[in-house]
Amino acid sequence: MKRILSALRSLAVLAVLAPAAFGVHAQAPQPPEIAARTYLLVDVTANQVLAAKDIDAPVEQASLTKLMTGYLVFDALRAKKITLEQKLPVSVRAWKMPGSRMFIDPKMQVPVDDLLKGMIVQSGNDATVALAEGVGGTVENFVKLMNDQAQALGMKGTAYKNPEGLTEPGHTTTARDLATLATRLMKDFPEYMHYYATKQYSYPGTPASNGNNRNALLFRDPTVDGLKTGHTAAAGYCLVATSKREFPNVGQRRLLSIVLGAASENARANESQKLLNWGYTAFDAVKLFDAGQPVATPAVWKGTASTIRIGRSEAIVVAVPSGSAGKVTTQIVRQDPLVAPFTKGQAIGSLKVVLGEQPLVEVPLVALDGVEQAGILGRAWDAIRLWIK
């Protein structure tokens, strides 16, 4: 059941990221020139894509791979298979990992908390392998878990060959899949997102000069709080960055930028910052309904209640080109009649959002309350009323 629910949640994300749901129309603001092979800008709060280029092209993952490694480690922590305080051994395999390192060795027993910081802040391949072995038993088994999770999340363009991201044939992903993974990572494990905002860290006894987070935007923009850098010769310089800023009548609005294949460390930071700033200024956020606020209260037949509230557990927010909020209209699409029973959270239709005459986005609506089936007399009476109707 857990796997099914996970897949359903991912389908909702993928539906938003599908080309037909980009919310890009003739009047859409044109994004700035971005010096990268591929890029993607998502308004996470509105679940809309604001800008995109070649988002289904296969690309080298580099250390962006560690986003999935983190996802599985957080899942293991939540399931209490490991703890943050638990010390994991450092294998010779982990110690000998090339590339970025935390500088741990087989004489050490390192707490999971420190290994997470080593993997995320320092992008340490040694820390990543130690975590993979601690969660999966072996690196090979952990890689299988990575691919299983990618499938569950609907990441159809991704294949993992290792947990750290070193170049290996077939170890590829897409910007679309990275958006799915990053969005789910933030949504599913908010209690662990502070790791990605950590600017500096070094394990006692290791070089302090190795302690700066590779994400330069953490030092430039106080609204940026993640997520991960990546670089190999094949991948170029990559950055998955996220920012949250306060907006009137909306509250915190989060954007996610993905820049892949930039020419340098500075370029990936500059292009990511350019995308984020453009997204916040070129698009307004419009809150249509508060969290838990019913979008409609239609009639229910053959139930213990005569009506049912439908809406979303989170606020319904849409992103529209700046200055066009007054052109937004909505339409509810649902089956009729609604015949009980209904469980809380069950999908019941959708809210179509239109900007002018152009479809903008379609938001799934769910039952905000459950409605049980009525007794035999109630069902019989409503059957007669429906027949007459």
Side-chain angles (χ1 to χ4, degrees):
M1 178 60 75
K2 181 180 178 183
R3 178 61 56 82
I4 292 172
L5 291 174
S6 177
L8 287 174
R9 287 194 296 268
S10 298
L11 285 173
V13 173
L14 287 171
V16 170
L17 297 183
F22 275 1
V24 176
H25 45 82
Q27 290 77 38
Q30 291 301 304
E33 288 291 326
I34 301 297
R37 295 175 199 164
T38 177
Y39 64 81
L40 178 59
L41 180 66
V42 179
D43 188 319
V44 177
T45 303
N47 280 351
Q48 286 173 245
V49 171
L50 306 184
K53 176 190 174 185
D54 294 338
I55 64 172
D56 290 314
V59 294
E60 294 271 351
Q61 302 195 50
S63 282
L64 302 181
T65 302
K66 296 179 173 90
L67 291 172
M68 178 59 84
T69 302
Y71 190 100
L72 291 176
V73 174
F74 299 146
D75 190 55
L77 284 165
R78 180 173 289 174
K80 302 191 185 304
K81 294 177 181 177
I82 56 173
T83 67
L84 287 173
E85 299 75 27
Q86 181 178 343
K87 293 183 177 181
L88 298 180
V90 180
S91 68
V92 172
R93 180 173 185 171
W95 173 48
K96 289 188 174 181
M97 287 299 294
S100 300
R101 300 181 63 198
M102 181 184 176
F103 292 99
I104 50 177
D105 64 57
K107 298 188 295 293
M108 300 176 177
Q109 294 270 332
V110 185
V112 169
D113 178 59
D114 289 286
L115 290 171
L116 279 167
K117 293 171 186 173
M119 176 179 74
I120 294 168
V121 181
Q122 299 173 308
S123 201
N125 294 335
D126 47 2
T128 304
V129 169
L131 285 168
E133 292 173 335
V135 172
T138 65
V139 168
E140 289 71 24
N141 188 53
F142 188 83
V143 171
K144 181 181 183 305
L145 296 177
M146 295 173 77
N147 285 304
D148 288 346
Q149 188 62 55
Q151 185 177 11
L153 295 179
M155 297 166 61
K156 298 179 180 178
T158 298
Y160 293 105
K161 301 295 182 180
N162 60 61
E164 79 288 329
L166 290 175
T167 299
E168 195 169 333
H171 187 82
T172 56
T173 190
T174 66
R176 183 194 299 272
D177 282 358
L178 285 169
T180 298
L181 175 57
T183 302
R184 284 295 302 272
L185 184 68
M186 293 186 287
K187 181 178 180 180
D188 293 351
F189 302 105
E191 68 269 34
Y192 298 117
M193 289 305 99
H194 64 276
Y195 286 108
Y196 296 98
T198 303
K199 294 180 180 179
Q200 293 177 312
Y201 168 78
S202 50
Y203 190 60
T206 65
S209 58
N210 188 49
N212 277 359
N213 195 312
R214 272 73 167 166
N215 183 358
L217 292 189
L218 292 175
F219 300 89
R220 298 184 188 179
D221 183 345
T223 72
V224 170
D225 57 359
L227 280 165
K228 192 70 189 74
T229 61
H231 171 254
T232 62
Y237 290 86
C238 308
L239 175 58
V240 175
T242 184
S243 165
K244 59 180 180 181
R245 300 182 187 178
E246 290 287 336
F247 281 80
N249 304 318
V250 175
Q252 286 188 349
R253 180 183 176 198
R254 181 174 291 282
L255 299 188
L256 173 74
S257 69
I258 296 172
V259 170
L260 307 176
S264 67
E265 284 188 41
N266 199 43
R268 72 184 174 192
N270 290 343
E271 301 308 284
S272 298
Q273 185 78 77
K274 190 190 302 182
L275 262 182
L276 290 169
N277 288 343
W278 173 80
Y280 281 121
T281 56
F283 289 85
D284 292 334
V286 180
K287 183 191 287 187
L288 301 178
F289 296 91
D290 287 320
Q293 179 184 356
V295 173
T297 309
V300 172
W301 302 84
K302 301 184 181 182
T304 54
S306 60
T307 60
I308 185 169
R309 301 186 312 144
I310 60 175
R312 299 287 296 177
S313 59
E314 64 274 10
I316 298 178
V317 177
V318 295
V320 300
S322 293
S324 63
K327 299 178 182 179
V328 172
T329 59
T330 62
Q331 176 188 0
I332 296 173
V333 179
R334 62 172 177 81
Q335 67 183 52
D336 190 45
L338 295 175
V339 180
F342 292 101
T343 58
K344 184 176 181 180
Q346 181 177 338
I348 303 181
S350 61
L351 181 72
K352 283 189 174 181
V353 183
V354 178
L355 181 65
E357 297 182 355
Q358 297 287 340
L360 186 66
V361 70
E362 191 163 347
V363 182
L365 299 177
V366 301
L368 296 176
D369 311 291
V371 176
E372 295 181 1
Q373 192 175 57
I376 188 168
L377 291 178
R379 296 200 307 273
W381 174 242
D382 274 1
I384 295 170
R385 293 173 63 209
L386 279 170
W387 180 74
I388 295 171
K389 181 183 177 184

